[in-house]
Amino acid sequence: MPSELHCRVCGLKQLQPPWGTDGNCPSFEICPCCGVEFGYDDATLGAIQRYRAKWLELGASWFLPDERPSDWSLDEQMAEIPSCFR
């Protein structure tokens, strides 16, 4: 799976690239898992790391809990975070 389809904060695969196919044009959509707004809350590596730390500290709850798959695995999903955003 191309890394450009995954949330930079939580690793959830998105239907459309959160930062466009060029990686530079954010969609400003909201990740249904961690609630990050692409292009606002994840604009820098530091912002990504702070957002992720806070999300994990608060229990890694889904922003839209009805969209959480029944077989969801936090560890498997976070393994999909592109290495340059860890």
Side-chain angles (χ1 to χ4, degrees):
M1 287 182 251
S3 63
E4 66 268 3
L5 286 176
H6 292 88
C7 175
R8 295 175 174 186
V9 171
C10 72
L12 181 69
K13 183 178 179 186
Q14 307 293 311
L15 296 176
Q16 299 294 322
W19 275 81
T21 55
D22 65 358
N24 294 310
C25 300
S27 66
F28 296 101
E29 297 291 323
I30 305 293
C31 178
C33 180
C34 67
V36 72
E37 181 180 350
F38 305 121
Y40 182 72
D41 298 312
D42 65 345
T44 67
L45 180 58
I48 291 166
Q49 292 170 335
R50 285 187 299 276
Y51 195 100
R52 183 183 305 126
K54 187 68 168 177
W55 177 66
L56 291 170
E57 179 183 313
L58 294 173
S61 298
W62 273 64
F63 183 72
L64 298 176
D66 291 343
E67 294 194 27
R68 181 180 183 240
S70 58
D71 62 345
W72 180 66
S73 166
L74 175 62
D75 292 334
E76 288 178 21
Q77 181 176 298
M78 291 198 59
E80 297 297 334
I81 297 170
S83 60
C84 58
F85 298 114
R86 292 186 184 184

